[in-house]
Amino acid sequence: MCAAALCRLTDLWSSQSISDADKAISQKNISILIKEIHQALKNDSASFKLRALVNVLFALPKHKDKHDTIHLANRICHVMEEYEDDLVQSLRPFHLMECLSSLSVLELHYPTLVGRICQRLEKGDALATFDARQLAAGLKALAILEYTDENTFAVQRAFARRWRKQRIRQTATTSDICQALFSARRMMQYTTDKSLEDEITTMIYTLFRELASPLPNNKARAMTAGQVAEVIMTASAIQVNVTNPIFNHIMETLNQDYTMKRATISDVSRILSSMKRLSLSMYPLAVQGLGVKLVYLVQQEPVEPGEVMNLFRSALALHQRDAQVMEPYEKAVCFLILERTAGNASFFLQQCTDIELSSLVRVLSLIRCSNEDALVTLAERILEPDMAESCSPKAASQILTYYTSLIDSSAEELNELQSHLSELFHELGTHLLCAQLLPAETSASMQAYAKASYVQDMGIFDHLANHLAAILDTCSVRQVTQGLWSCGKLVGFESEHGDVDDFGPPYLEAARKYAEYLASITPEMNAKDISQTLWAIGRLGIDNEKVVSLFADRARQLIPECNSQEVATILWGLARVAYDNRELVSELTNRILVLKASSQEAATVLYSLGRMEIQDESVFSAMSAVMMTQVETASAQSIANALWAFRTVELHPPRQLMDSWVTQKLGLEGVTIGQVDL
């Protein structure tokens, strides 16, 4: 009687039509009944029928008081273990399945009991009674329990195999299929049985085909965003080929109002994360649509910084360079930064850790955000004493790196942010004075100082340079090249301001170590590495002939891979260190003649040939032609360098080139070179 009353009350409490007050009364009554049943089981467990105990066990997960629930559930399971033979013989397969479901929901572990149930459910007569919903529920229960014994594997194989039957799939709802896919993904994570793994994989592909197939009325299956997430996460788990029809189906589904209506931030995050793992970059409209939904969601509910950071990272990995796709993501992140609560600072920013704030800076930099209000607001939060003082070296490095990169690449003047950048270097730079920085963080920080031309605290840059020199064996080629480039960039800035003495800057010795190290591993260097290295040693005046020769030899090997900028940079570096190899220079100039060079690159080539005193009329003619066709974009300094080169090798420059220099340098519109006394 108690068991029947408990089940009736639980069903009533679960009803949607019951009022909250009545639910509270029912919950109280359930608690009383639980205690009564528990006491009755202690006194005389034999008086309870096994069917009644299963009903009670199945009802317990619906009760809120976990303490009372678990105690009674454990007592019931002990009784079931005492009568396990009677249990599997007297109960129908459906009721045994209910047992498994309750054990999984309540997180109870009774391996012997589960093993006996699995032995029964594996039998053909038991399997034949299950429809799609029950098979999905059974797979889910077993996946959550995570048993790895042969009895469990056997029934999982049997359940998975049943999905091959058309009559099972025809009765399956979308919810059933997605529940089975959830279970499959979870089982693949822990199974040690190869035959089970093969069976699960077959089931997944079978269910994918079912989902992608139209229903009898030729309508596509309606899916929620959560179900779409489950499907694509399962596809990601077994690395389904991106040409599989399931992807076209679920991406079309994402365009449906029904699918996106109740989508949560968690759904959006899971979908994007799985798309990233599968490299599904061929669906930009789907990614853009998820971004539009994100804009709505962040305006409606509080957001967990960690979850939204993962979401932004996934979107960036898929379509970082597509401004149209990334536009809604920029709107979402700017809203989160600028949102105010009762006039106070952004609640979202206050919730963020230093690493999450640095991740925000990275996101804004990679999407090339131009919303200066958002950029400044974020910088001001970072500069607040509680954050600036406790910032980790890793976060400090990333903040300085990406803020500098953003300003450096911005097409707009970000004057207010520029002033904040100096404050960021001043406040966060000291966090970089540690020995725990990783190679990537060290070289990126050096590059930030160099790009920002921040020379107020050069002791920090010197420390970074020496630290990188001490850990070269753990660095990648790119990291060392980046460090060397940073030294070359800063020495030029310091030289212009008269801050370098006759012995060179303190970081010059570290730069020499970088060059010598790179010279020992030139086969690992690509065209970009070689061009930046030669540019840097040219700026730094590192004229070690042996080192330069090794770089020159590698440059010759890479000429077919070089773009016009790399060719021009290599020539400039060789000219600066007075490297004399006419054959190499000829190969480099032949390469740039077949490439589309810019006016700046053409001027660099001419200047380099002038420094090396190489009179190659065909190259001078071709490069000057490039400059004249792009004369509007050529700077006065570029033109001046080109004219100097012509004069040095005793060639006559084109009149148009000289007229352009007069116009730009002297501001004399409409005046030709013949009218000006130079």
Side-chain angles (χ1 to χ4, degrees), residues 164 188 193-204:
R164 297 183 191 179
M188 291 291 274
D193 185 274
K194 183 64 171 62
S195 60
L196 174 58
E197 186 178 324
D198 292 342
E199 200 64 63
I200 292 171
T201 301
T202 300
M203 182 188 80
I204 290 172

Side-chain angles (χ1 to χ4, degrees), residues 620-621 624-625 628 643 646 652-659 673:
F620 270 81
S621 175
S624 59
M628 286 186 290
L643 293 174
F646 271 99
H652 294 291
R655 177 173 291 275
Q656 183 183 350
L657 196 60
M658 299 186 73
D659 290 345
I673 194 70

Side-chain angles (χ1 to χ4, degrees), residues 222-295:
M223 299 176 71
T224 65
Q227 290 170 339
V228 169
E230 203 55 66
V231 171
I232 197 168
M233 287 171 73
T234 304
S236 171
I238 63 170
Q239 286 296 297
V240 174
N241 191 291
V242 295
T243 61
N244 192 294
I246 189 63
F247 295 121
N248 285 333
H249 172 72
I250 59 178
M251 293 306 156
E252 289 172 6
T253 301
L254 285 175
N255 293 326
Q256 298 174 6
D257 291 339
Y258 172 82
T259 301
M260 298 305 296
K261 185 175 182 180
R262 296 183 180 179
T264 65
I265 287 180
S266 176
D267 294 333
V268 174
S269 179
R270 290 188 299 152
I271 292 170
L272 287 172
S273 178
S274 297
M275 290 183 72
K276 171 190 167 186
R277 284 195 291 272
L278 287 163
S279 298
L280 282 176
S281 58
M282 64 289 294
Y283 298 102
L285 292 180
V287 176
Q288 185 178 6
L290 291 167
V292 171
K293 182 65 178 180
L294 177 65
V295 173

Side-chain angles (χ1 to χ4, degrees), residues 61-112:
K62 303 173 186 177
H63 184 49
K64 283 187 175 181
D65 191 332
K66 188 156 183 148
H67 182 268
D68 289 345
T69 298
I70 295 300
H71 276 298
L72 179 55
N74 278 314
R75 184 62 190 163
I76 291 173
C77 288
H78 286 309
V79 173
M80 286 181 170
E81 283 190 321
E82 292 177 24
Y83 300 99
E84 62 181 34
D85 289 336
D86 291 340
L87 180 76
V88 297
Q89 291 175 12
S90 62
L91 292 183
R92 295 168 57 192
F94 172 73
H95 297 133
L96 294 175
M97 186 79 82
E98 286 184 339
C99 245
L100 286 179
S101 295
S102 298
L103 289 173
S104 67
V105 173
L106 294 169
E107 299 178 354
L108 298 177
H109 293 280
Y110 286 87
T112 304

Side-chain angles (χ1 to χ4, degrees), residues 5-16:
L6 175 62
C7 291
R8 285 198 301 275
L9 276 173
T10 300
D11 289 339
L12 180 63
W13 184 82
S14 301
S15 170
Q16 296 294 322

